[in-house]
Amino acid sequence: MTNKYTAAIVGTGRIGFTLGFDKKREQPASHTMSLLGNKKIEIVAGCDTNTENLERFINYVSKYNPKVQAFTSLDELLTKKLPDIIVIAVNEESHLETAIKVIEKQPKIVILEKPVALNVAQGEKIKAALEKSSSAVIVNHERRFADDYNFAKKYMEKIGKILTVNARLDSGLRVYTPECENNGEYSLLHDGTHLVDAVLFLLNQDALENVQLICKTMDENDTQVVRTATVHAQSTVCPDINLYFSGASRYFGFEVEIIGSLGRIKIGNGIHQFYQRKESKLYTGFFSLEADKKEPSFKKTGYFSNMTQNAVDFLDGNCELKSTLETGLNTLAILEEIKNQLKQN
């Protein structure tokens, strides 16, 4: 008999539910829609202290499961229900308390939104709770599951020795300010976690070495607010890794460029560029880079549905998790090193 799994979502806001209605995003774009799209999962409960969010969630999910239950208290949910899968999609400042409570009840698997926690100390407390539990944790660092990033990682075999990695995040959200350490509302943590984790994933690394803040700029109206930061690092496979974070841009951008001795890759939001060394059409006796015309289009990357499927396949005993609490903590440690240098300089 094919296994089926029950699921509950804790936090029915944007990533938990409503991003599933964004017509511009690749869908599914929320935990709710991704779980509903998997035939082996049935959503049996939702939990949120925001009763309006919870009501909208229940009204929608009840079309698929009329018996779905609503809880405004996590303690009540964990007392009355223990689904196989529990999604934690609450704000960052609530990750620690929520994750420990859920893990102590030992569901089969916990889907934990990124970042793991506000800081490494909190992340280690979650790890300690997990070590005492029979649960597994999968962290939603979505690029580890996306088809385009997995294609890029395999394509790296074609571009020779990795010489340089340039990764950048552009947004209007401050890179860092001390007053937001308790809620995580700064881009170094909020979206920077995706940037750093993507670099670790593509390079197949657990850590970066010699992480060093090169420069930063402050907000012209508030000297406590960091607007841009440039960081240099190294790894065992690449001696030149450059991370750039901007909170001064009037647009959102996310991209990673990998330069090899035989080619180049640039991948990011809506960006899929793959180049290989070819005999030059411009200069006799030289080689140039040419776009690979055989590259896939990636109209759909499956970033969310693949994550959910990975959790199901793991529960079925068919594979390992692609994004674990450990990989999430590795990313968090690098972000914390950068944050500490921002505070000191």
Side-chain angles (χ1 to χ4, degrees), residues 16-61:
F17 178 49
T18 61
L19 288 181
F21 300 100
D22 186 336
K23 294 181 180 180
K24 291 186 177 181
R25 292 176 185 255
E26 178 190 329
Q27 294 294 336
S30 71
H31 289 283
T32 300
M33 301 310 181
S34 187
L35 293 176
L36 288 174
N38 194 296
K39 295 180 180 180
K40 299 192 72 173
I41 297 174
E42 181 180 51
I43 300 177
V44 296
C47 179
D48 204 313
T49 56
N50 185 315
T51 55
E52 291 184 6
N53 286 352
L54 184 59
E55 183 178 4
R56 286 195 292 267
F57 167 84
I58 293 296
N59 288 340
Y60 187 84
V61 176

mmCIF file of all heavy atoms in Angstrom, residues 16-61:
data_model
loop_
_atom_site.group_PDB
_atom_site.id
_atom_site.type_symbol
_atom_site.label_atom_id
_atom_site.label_comp_id
_atom_site.label_asym_id
_atom_site.label_seq_id
_atom_site.Cartn_x
_atom_site.Cartn_y
_atom_site.Cartn_z
ATOM 1 N N GLY A 16 3.500 30.710 4.057
ATOM 2 C CA GLY A 16 2.663 29.585 4.451
ATOM 3 C C GLY A 16 1.476 29.379 3.533
ATOM 4 O O GLY A 16 1.080 28.239 3.269
ATOM 5 N N PHE A 17 0.902 30.481 3.013
ATOM 6 C CA PHE A 17 -0.348 30.352 2.260
ATOM 7 C C PHE A 17 -0.499 31.336 1.102
ATOM 8 O O PHE A 17 -0.615 30.942 -0.051
ATOM 9 C CB PHE A 17 -1.523 30.493 3.222
ATOM 10 C CG PHE A 17 -2.881 30.425 2.586
ATOM 11 C CD1 PHE A 17 -3.206 29.401 1.703
ATOM 12 C CD2 PHE A 17 -3.849 31.379 2.874
ATOM 13 C CE1 PHE A 17 -4.475 29.343 1.104
ATOM 14 C CE2 PHE A 17 -5.105 31.320 2.294
ATOM 15 C CZ PHE A 17 -5.416 30.305 1.402
ATOM 16 N N THR A 18 -0.480 32.653 1.371
ATOM 17 C CA THR A 18 -0.996 33.609 0.393
ATOM 18 C C THR A 18 -0.123 33.817 -0.843
ATOM 19 O O THR A 18 -0.638 34.245 -1.885
ATOM 20 C CB THR A 18 -1.270 34.981 1.046
ATOM 21 O OG1 THR A 18 -0.043 35.503 1.578
ATOM 22 C CG2 THR A 18 -2.286 34.852 2.165
ATOM 23 N N LEU A 19 1.169 33.514 -0.787
ATOM 24 C CA LEU A 19 1.986 33.640 -1.995
ATOM 25 C C LEU A 19 1.533 32.658 -3.079
ATOM 26 O O LEU A 19 1.896 32.797 -4.244
ATOM 27 C CB LEU A 19 3.464 33.413 -1.681
ATOM 28 C CG LEU A 19 4.165 34.533 -0.902
ATOM 29 C CD1 LEU A 19 5.629 34.197 -0.689
ATOM 30 C CD2 LEU A 19 4.029 35.873 -1.606
ATOM 31 N N GLY A 20 0.713 31.705 -2.686
ATOM 32 C CA GLY A 20 0.153 30.771 -3.646
ATOM 33 C C GLY A 20 -0.838 31.396 -4.604
ATOM 34 O O GLY A 20 -1.278 30.754 -5.558
ATOM 35 N N PHE A 21 -1.172 32.667 -4.368
ATOM 36 C CA PHE A 21 -2.111 33.368 -5.250
ATOM 37 C C PHE A 21 -1.421 34.448 -6.077
ATOM 38 O O PHE A 21 -2.076 35.196 -6.798
ATOM 39 C CB PHE A 21 -3.238 33.992 -4.424
ATOM 40 C CG PHE A 21 -4.027 32.985 -3.642
ATOM 41 C CD1 PHE A 21 -3.789 32.781 -2.298
ATOM 42 C CD2 PHE A 21 -4.990 32.206 -4.262
ATOM 43 C CE1 PHE A 21 -4.502 31.845 -1.574
ATOM 44 C CE2 PHE A 21 -5.712 31.257 -3.555
ATOM 45 C CZ PHE A 21 -5.472 31.074 -2.204
ATOM 46 N N ASP A 22 -0.109 34.551 -5.964
ATOM 47 C CA ASP A 22 0.646 35.539 -6.738
ATOM 48 C C ASP A 22 0.761 35.039 -8.175
ATOM 49 O O ASP A 22 1.460 34.072 -8.461
ATOM 50 C CB ASP A 22 2.039 35.719 -6.121
ATOM 51 C CG ASP A 22 2.830 36.844 -6.773
ATOM 52 O OD1 ASP A 22 2.548 37.178 -7.943
ATOM 53 O OD2 ASP A 22 3.735 37.396 -6.115
ATOM 54 N N LYS A 23 0.098 35.722 -9.094
ATOM 55 C CA LYS A 23 0.034 35.266 -10.481
ATOM 56 C C LYS A 23 1.353 35.427 -11.227
ATOM 57 O O LYS A 23 1.543 34.849 -12.295
ATOM 58 C CB LYS A 23 -1.088 36.005 -11.213
ATOM 59 C CG LYS A 23 -2.476 35.673 -10.681
ATOM 60 C CD LYS A 23 -3.566 36.390 -11.446
ATOM 61 C CE LYS A 23 -4.939 36.031 -10.902
ATOM 62 N NZ LYS A 23 -6.031 36.733 -11.637
ATOM 63 N N LYS A 24 2.257 36.257 -10.693
ATOM 64 C CA LYS A 24 3.536 36.447 -11.366
ATOM 65 C C LYS A 24 4.578 35.409 -10.953
ATOM 66 O O LYS A 24 5.546 35.189 -11.674
ATOM 67 C CB LYS A 24 4.075 37.851 -11.081
ATOM 68 C CG LYS A 24 3.269 38.955 -11.742
ATOM 69 C CD LYS A 24 3.924 40.311 -11.541
ATOM 70 C CE LYS A 24 3.159 41.397 -12.276
ATOM 71 N NZ LYS A 24 3.807 42.733 -12.117
ATOM 72 N N ARG A 25 4.385 34.799 -9.805
ATOM 73 C CA ARG A 25 5.363 33.816 -9.320
ATOM 74 C C ARG A 25 5.139 32.447 -9.948
ATOM 75 O O ARG A 25 4.003 32.086 -10.276
ATOM 76 C CB ARG A 25 5.276 33.676 -7.796
ATOM 77 C CG ARG A 25 5.741 34.903 -7.036
ATOM 78 C CD ARG A 25 5.530 34.704 -5.541
ATOM 79 N NE ARG A 25 5.866 35.910 -4.807
ATOM 80 C CZ ARG A 25 6.967 36.082 -4.082
ATOM 81 N NH1 ARG A 25 7.831 35.085 -3.977
ATOM 82 N NH2 ARG A 25 7.205 37.209 -3.456
ATOM 83 N N GLU A 26 6.226 31.702 -10.074
ATOM 84 C CA GLU A 26 6.068 30.298 -10.441
ATOM 85 C C GLU A 26 5.332 29.601 -9.313
ATOM 86 O O GLU A 26 5.709 29.706 -8.149
ATOM 87 C CB GLU A 26 7.432 29.641 -10.655
ATOM 88 C CG GLU A 26 7.319 28.160 -10.986
ATOM 89 C CD GLU A 26 8.658 27.433 -10.958
ATOM 90 O OE1 GLU A 26 9.691 28.064 -11.254
ATOM 91 O OE2 GLU A 26 8.666 26.234 -10.627
ATOM 92 N N GLN A 27 4.292 28.884 -9.634
ATOM 93 C CA GLN A 27 3.516 28.169 -8.636
ATOM 94 C C GLN A 27 3.839 26.683 -8.675
ATOM 95 O O GLN A 27 4.190 26.149 -9.726
ATOM 96 C CB GLN A 27 2.014 28.404 -8.875
ATOM 97 C CG GLN A 27 1.565 29.832 -8.668
ATOM 98 C CD GLN A 27 1.696 30.286 -7.223
ATOM 99 O OE1 GLN A 27 1.693 29.476 -6.291
ATOM 100 N NE2 GLN A 27 1.826 31.594 -7.038
ATOM 101 N N PRO A 28 3.753 26.015 -7.505
ATOM 102 C CA PRO A 28 3.340 26.545 -6.201
ATOM 103 C C PRO A 28 4.414 27.425 -5.578
ATOM 104 O O PRO A 28 5.611 27.165 -5.750
ATOM 105 C CB PRO A 28 3.103 25.295 -5.366
ATOM 106 C CG PRO A 28 4.015 24.267 -5.960
ATOM 107 C CD PRO A 28 4.034 24.549 -7.437
ATOM 108 N N ALA A 29 3.959 28.464 -4.861
ATOM 109 C CA ALA A 29 4.879 29.412 -4.228
ATOM 110 C C ALA A 29 4.621 29.537 -2.735
ATOM 111 O O ALA A 29 5.118 30.451 -2.093
ATOM 112 C CB ALA A 29 4.763 30.781 -4.904
ATOM 113 N N SER A 30 3.838 28.630 -2.191
ATOM 114 C CA SER A 30 3.597 28.613 -0.745
ATOM 115 C C SER A 30 3.543 27.166 -0.275
ATOM 116 O O SER A 30 3.346 26.235 -1.071
ATOM 117 C CB SER A 30 2.279 29.311 -0.396
ATOM 118 O OG SER A 30 1.168 28.532 -0.811
ATOM 119 N N HIS A 31 3.721 26.986 1.021
ATOM 120 C CA HIS A 31 3.672 25.627 1.569
ATOM 121 C C HIS A 31 2.306 24.990 1.353
ATOM 122 O O HIS A 31 2.214 23.801 1.035
ATOM 123 C CB HIS A 31 4.015 25.661 3.059
ATOM 124 C CG HIS A 31 5.451 25.949 3.324
ATOM 125 N ND1 HIS A 31 6.445 25.006 3.165
ATOM 126 C CD2 HIS A 31 6.080 27.087 3.741
ATOM 127 C CE1 HIS A 31 7.612 25.532 3.466
ATOM 128 N NE2 HIS A 31 7.428 26.800 3.821
ATOM 129 N N THR A 32 1.259 25.767 1.522
ATOM 130 C CA THR A 32 -0.085 25.217 1.355
ATOM 131 C C THR A 32 -0.278 24.653 -0.033
ATOM 132 O O THR A 32 -0.713 23.500 -0.215
ATOM 133 C CB THR A 32 -1.150 26.302 1.618
ATOM 134 O OG1 THR A 32 -1.010 26.778 2.956
ATOM 135 C CG2 THR A 32 -2.553 25.745 1.429
ATOM 136 N N MET A 33 0.041 25.444 -1.053
ATOM 137 C CA MET A 33 -0.184 25.011 -2.428
ATOM 138 C C MET A 33 0.726 23.844 -2.790
ATOM 139 O O MET A 33 0.336 22.941 -3.543
ATOM 140 C CB MET A 33 0.035 26.177 -3.390
ATOM 141 C CG MET A 33 -0.877 27.366 -3.129
ATOM 142 S SD MET A 33 -2.628 26.905 -2.980
ATOM 143 C CE MET A 33 -3.358 28.525 -2.731
ATOM 144 N N SER A 34 1.934 23.849 -2.249
ATOM 145 C CA SER A 34 2.850 22.756 -2.545
ATOM 146 C C SER A 34 2.379 21.448 -1.913
ATOM 147 O O SER A 34 2.424 20.390 -2.540
ATOM 148 C CB SER A 34 4.250 23.104 -2.044
ATOM 149 O OG SER A 34 5.188 22.138 -2.469
ATOM 150 N N LEU A 35 1.903 21.525 -0.680
ATOM 151 C CA LEU A 35 1.376 20.323 -0.018
ATOM 152 C C LEU A 35 0.114 19.819 -0.721
ATOM 153 O O LEU A 35 -0.052 18.615 -0.935
ATOM 154 C CB LEU A 35 1.066 20.626 1.447
ATOM 155 C CG LEU A 35 2.253 20.936 2.363
ATOM 156 C CD1 LEU A 35 1.764 21.316 3.760
ATOM 157 C CD2 LEU A 35 3.222 19.770 2.451
ATOM 158 N N LEU A 36 -0.771 20.757 -1.093
ATOM 159 C CA LEU A 36 -2.006 20.360 -1.772
ATOM 160 C C LEU A 36 -1.719 19.725 -3.126
ATOM 161 O O LEU A 36 -2.486 18.880 -3.596
ATOM 162 C CB LEU A 36 -2.920 21.571 -1.965
ATOM 163 C CG LEU A 36 -3.605 22.120 -0.711
ATOM 164 C CD1 LEU A 36 -4.346 23.408 -1.043
ATOM 165 C CD2 LEU A 36 -4.569 21.100 -0.111
ATOM 166 N N GLY A 37 -0.607 20.114 -3.744
ATOM 167 C CA GLY A 37 -0.259 19.579 -5.051
ATOM 168 C C GLY A 37 0.398 18.216 -5.007
ATOM 169 O O GLY A 37 0.658 17.629 -6.065
ATOM 170 N N ASN A 38 0.677 17.720 -3.809
ATOM 171 C CA ASN A 38 1.307 16.413 -3.680
ATOM 172 C C ASN A 38 0.242 15.381 -3.294
ATOM 173 O O ASN A 38 -0.390 15.487 -2.242
ATOM 174 C CB ASN A 38 2.413 16.456 -2.621
ATOM 175 C CG ASN A 38 3.311 15.239 -2.694
ATOM 176 O OD1 ASN A 38 2.874 14.113 -2.475
ATOM 177 N ND2 ASN A 38 4.589 15.460 -3.001
ATOM 178 N N LYS A 39 0.066 14.384 -4.120
ATOM 179 C CA LYS A 39 -1.006 13.406 -3.936
ATOM 180 C C LYS A 39 -0.832 12.541 -2.695
ATOM 181 O O LYS A 39 -1.794 11.890 -2.251
ATOM 182 C CB LYS A 39 -1.118 12.516 -5.170
ATOM 183 C CG LYS A 39 -1.548 13.273 -6.421
ATOM 184 C CD LYS A 39 -1.653 12.343 -7.619
ATOM 185 C CE LYS A 39 -2.090 13.111 -8.867
ATOM 186 N NZ LYS A 39 -2.189 12.222 -10.053
ATOM 187 N N LYS A 40 0.360 12.540 -2.119
ATOM 188 C CA LYS A 40 0.599 11.696 -0.957
ATOM 189 C C LYS A 40 0.421 12.440 0.366
ATOM 190 O O LYS A 40 0.676 11.887 1.429
ATOM 191 C CB LYS A 40 2.011 11.103 -1.028
ATOM 192 C CG LYS A 40 2.235 10.217 -2.264
ATOM 193 C CD LYS A 40 3.512 9.430 -2.172
ATOM 194 C CE LYS A 40 3.405 8.323 -1.146
ATOM 195 N NZ LYS A 40 4.577 7.424 -1.149
ATOM 196 N N ILE A 41 -0.024 13.693 0.280
ATOM 197 C CA ILE A 41 -0.165 14.506 1.487
ATOM 198 C C ILE A 41 -1.588 15.032 1.621
ATOM 199 O O ILE A 41 -2.198 15.473 0.654
ATOM 200 C CB ILE A 41 0.821 15.704 1.449
ATOM 201 C CG1 ILE A 41 2.259 15.214 1.427
ATOM 202 C CG2 ILE A 41 0.594 16.618 2.650
ATOM 203 C CD1 ILE A 41 3.286 16.328 1.253
ATOM 204 N N GLU A 42 -2.092 14.994 2.849
ATOM 205 C CA GLU A 42 -3.380 15.606 3.164
ATOM 206 C C GLU A 42 -3.184 16.613 4.288
ATOM 207 O O GLU A 42 -2.660 16.270 5.352
ATOM 208 C CB GLU A 42 -4.401 14.554 3.597
ATOM 209 C CG GLU A 42 -5.762 15.160 3.916
ATOM 210 C CD GLU A 42 -6.783 14.128 4.357
ATOM 211 O OE1 GLU A 42 -6.463 13.334 5.271
ATOM 212 O OE2 GLU A 42 -7.888 14.102 3.790
ATOM 213 N N ILE A 43 -3.569 17.858 4.045
ATOM 214 C CA ILE A 43 -3.485 18.885 5.079
ATOM 215 C C ILE A 43 -4.653 18.696 6.042
ATOM 216 O O ILE A 43 -5.815 18.732 5.638
ATOM 217 C CB ILE A 43 -3.515 20.303 4.478
ATOM 218 C CG1 ILE A 43 -2.338 20.508 3.536
ATOM 219 C CG2 ILE A 43 -3.490 21.353 5.596
ATOM 220 C CD1 ILE A 43 -2.329 21.865 2.837
ATOM 221 N N VAL A 44 -4.323 18.495 7.327
ATOM 222 C CA VAL A 44 -5.363 18.223 8.312
ATOM 223 C C VAL A 44 -5.539 19.359 9.315
ATOM 224 O O VAL A 44 -6.506 19.370 10.075
ATOM 225 C CB VAL A 44 -5.076 16.913 9.071
ATOM 226 C CG1 VAL A 44 -5.109 15.729 8.112
ATOM 227 C CG2 VAL A 44 -3.739 16.992 9.810
ATOM 228 N N ALA A 45 -4.603 20.337 9.310
ATOM 229 C CA ALA A 45 -4.712 21.412 10.299
ATOM 230 C C ALA A 45 -3.888 22.622 9.874
ATOM 231 O O ALA A 45 -2.911 22.522 9.135
ATOM 232 C CB ALA A 45 -4.249 20.935 11.672
ATOM 233 N N GLY A 46 -4.333 23.769 10.377
ATOM 234 C CA GLY A 46 -3.588 25.009 10.224
ATOM 235 C C GLY A 46 -3.571 25.725 11.558
ATOM 236 O O GLY A 46 -4.515 25.601 12.355
ATOM 237 N N CYS A 47 -2.499 26.457 11.814
ATOM 238 C CA CYS A 47 -2.373 27.155 13.100
ATOM 239 C C CYS A 47 -1.818 28.547 12.871
ATOM 240 O O CYS A 47 -0.815 28.721 12.170
ATOM 241 C CB CYS A 47 -1.436 26.366 14.019
ATOM 242 S SG CYS A 47 -1.159 27.127 15.635
ATOM 243 N N ASP A 48 -2.495 29.542 13.461
ATOM 244 C CA ASP A 48 -2.028 30.922 13.349
ATOM 245 C C ASP A 48 -2.715 31.759 14.408
ATOM 246 O O ASP A 48 -3.906 31.566 14.680
ATOM 247 C CB ASP A 48 -2.352 31.494 11.960
ATOM 248 C CG ASP A 48 -1.418 32.631 11.574
ATOM 249 O OD1 ASP A 48 -1.196 33.535 12.412
ATOM 250 O OD2 ASP A 48 -0.923 32.631 10.430
ATOM 251 N N THR A 49 -1.965 32.667 15.023
ATOM 252 C CA THR A 49 -2.580 33.581 15.996
ATOM 253 C C THR A 49 -3.365 34.677 15.292
ATOM 254 O O THR A 49 -4.198 35.326 15.909
ATOM 255 C CB THR A 49 -1.499 34.218 16.884
ATOM 256 O OG1 THR A 49 -0.535 34.874 16.059
ATOM 257 C CG2 THR A 49 -0.803 33.159 17.737
ATOM 258 N N ASN A 50 -3.092 34.876 14.000
ATOM 259 C CA ASN A 50 -3.850 35.834 13.193
ATOM 260 C C ASN A 50 -5.098 35.131 12.675
ATOM 261 O O ASN A 50 -5.039 34.314 11.758
ATOM 262 C CB ASN A 50 -2.987 36.345 12.036
ATOM 263 C CG ASN A 50 -3.671 37.436 11.221
ATOM 264 O OD1 ASN A 50 -4.845 37.318 10.875
ATOM 265 N ND2 ASN A 50 -2.941 38.491 10.913
ATOM 266 N N THR A 51 -6.235 35.445 13.278
ATOM 267 C CA THR A 51 -7.467 34.711 12.969
ATOM 268 C C THR A 51 -7.953 34.959 11.543
ATOM 269 O O THR A 51 -8.575 34.077 10.940
ATOM 270 C CB THR A 51 -8.574 35.074 13.964
ATOM 271 O OG1 THR A 51 -8.761 36.501 13.968
ATOM 272 C CG2 THR A 51 -8.221 34.598 15.368
ATOM 273 N N GLU A 52 -7.675 36.147 10.985
ATOM 274 C CA GLU A 52 -8.089 36.421 9.605
ATOM 275 C C GLU A 52 -7.310 35.544 8.633
ATOM 276 O O GLU A 52 -7.886 34.961 7.699
ATOM 277 C CB GLU A 52 -7.892 37.896 9.271
ATOM 278 C CG GLU A 52 -8.842 38.832 10.013
ATOM 279 C CD GLU A 52 -8.672 40.273 9.577
ATOM 280 O OE1 GLU A 52 -7.906 40.525 8.620
ATOM 281 O OE2 GLU A 52 -9.294 41.155 10.195
ATOM 282 N N ASN A 53 -5.984 35.464 8.830
ATOM 283 C CA ASN A 53 -5.168 34.594 7.981
ATOM 284 C C ASN A 53 -5.620 33.143 8.099
ATOM 285 O O ASN A 53 -5.740 32.422 7.098
ATOM 286 C CB ASN A 53 -3.694 34.687 8.383
ATOM 287 C CG ASN A 53 -3.038 35.981 7.954
ATOM 288 O OD1 ASN A 53 -3.622 36.769 7.218
ATOM 289 N ND2 ASN A 53 -1.819 36.211 8.429
ATOM 290 N N LEU A 54 -5.876 32.723 9.319
ATOM 291 C CA LEU A 54 -6.268 31.343 9.568
ATOM 292 C C LEU A 54 -7.615 31.019 8.919
ATOM 293 O O LEU A 54 -7.781 29.949 8.318
ATOM 294 C CB LEU A 54 -6.325 31.083 11.075
ATOM 295 C CG LEU A 54 -6.621 29.648 11.515
ATOM 296 C CD1 LEU A 54 -5.578 28.683 10.972
ATOM 297 C CD2 LEU A 54 -6.663 29.569 13.040
ATOM 298 N N GLU A 55 -8.536 31.948 9.010
ATOM 299 C CA GLU A 55 -9.866 31.726 8.418
ATOM 300 C C GLU A 55 -9.774 31.580 6.907
ATOM 301 O O GLU A 55 -10.413 30.696 6.320
ATOM 302 C CB GLU A 55 -10.804 32.870 8.784
ATOM 303 C CG GLU A 55 -12.227 32.667 8.264
ATOM 304 C CD GLU A 55 -13.166 33.790 8.669
ATOM 305 O OE1 GLU A 55 -12.704 34.772 9.290
ATOM 306 O OE2 GLU A 55 -14.369 33.700 8.352
ATOM 307 N N ARG A 56 -8.972 32.439 6.264
ATOM 308 C CA ARG A 56 -8.817 32.334 4.812
ATOM 309 C C ARG A 56 -8.183 31.001 4.434
ATOM 310 O O ARG A 56 -8.584 30.363 3.448
ATOM 311 C CB ARG A 56 -7.958 33.494 4.293
ATOM 312 C CG ARG A 56 -8.669 34.838 4.256
ATOM 313 C CD ARG A 56 -7.901 35.839 3.405
ATOM 314 N NE ARG A 56 -6.636 36.207 4.037
ATOM 315 C CZ ARG A 56 -6.487 37.260 4.825
ATOM 316 N NH1 ARG A 56 -7.526 38.052 5.060
ATOM 317 N NH2 ARG A 56 -5.315 37.539 5.364
ATOM 318 N N PHE A 57 -7.208 30.586 5.222
ATOM 319 C CA PHE A 57 -6.548 29.306 4.974
ATOM 320 C C PHE A 57 -7.538 28.146 5.086
ATOM 321 O O PHE A 57 -7.607 27.284 4.204
ATOM 322 C CB PHE A 57 -5.402 29.141 5.972
ATOM 323 C CG PHE A 57 -4.821 27.756 6.046
ATOM 324 C CD1 PHE A 57 -3.855 27.345 5.147
ATOM 325 C CD2 PHE A 57 -5.243 26.855 7.021
ATOM 326 C CE1 PHE A 57 -3.316 26.063 5.213
ATOM 327 C CE2 PHE A 57 -4.707 25.581 7.094
ATOM 328 C CZ PHE A 57 -3.748 25.187 6.183
ATOM 329 N N ILE A 58 -8.294 28.115 6.156
ATOM 330 C CA ILE A 58 -9.252 27.027 6.390
ATOM 331 C C ILE A 58 -10.322 26.999 5.300
ATOM 332 O O ILE A 58 -10.676 25.921 4.780
ATOM 333 C CB ILE A 58 -9.904 27.159 7.780
ATOM 334 C CG1 ILE A 58 -8.859 26.920 8.875
ATOM 335 C CG2 ILE A 58 -11.064 26.177 7.923
ATOM 336 C CD1 ILE A 58 -8.266 25.535 8.904
ATOM 337 N N ASN A 59 -10.822 28.157 4.924
ATOM 338 C CA ASN A 59 -11.847 28.216 3.876
ATOM 339 C C ASN A 59 -11.336 27.638 2.567
ATOM 340 O O ASN A 59 -12.076 26.963 1.838
ATOM 341 C CB ASN A 59 -12.312 29.657 3.660
ATOM 342 C CG ASN A 59 -13.166 30.167 4.794
ATOM 343 O OD1 ASN A 59 -13.727 29.391 5.572
ATOM 344 N ND2 ASN A 59 -13.287 31.481 4.911
ATOM 345 N N TYR A 60 -10.077 27.889 2.288
ATOM 346 C CA TYR A 60 -9.515 27.381 1.030
ATOM 347 C C TYR A 60 -9.224 25.882 1.119
ATOM 348 O O TYR A 60 -9.614 25.102 0.239
ATOM 349 C CB TYR A 60 -8.241 28.145 0.681
ATOM 350 C CG TYR A 60 -7.694 27.791 -0.678
ATOM 351 C CD1 TYR A 60 -8.180 28.411 -1.819
ATOM 352 C CD2 TYR A 60 -6.706 26.803 -0.833
ATOM 353 C CE1 TYR A 60 -7.696 28.075 -3.080
ATOM 354 C CE2 TYR A 60 -6.221 26.461 -2.083
ATOM 355 C CZ TYR A 60 -6.718 27.102 -3.201
ATOM 356 O OH TYR A 60 -6.247 26.761 -4.446
ATOM 357 N N VAL A 61 -8.547 25.457 2.165
ATOM 358 C CA VAL A 61 -8.133 24.054 2.275
ATOM 359 C C VAL A 61 -9.335 23.126 2.456
ATOM 360 O O VAL A 61 -9.299 21.961 2.047
ATOM 361 C CB VAL A 61 -7.126 23.876 3.435
ATOM 362 C CG1 VAL A 61 -6.769 22.411 3.634
ATOM 363 C CG2 VAL A 61 -5.872 24.692 3.161
#
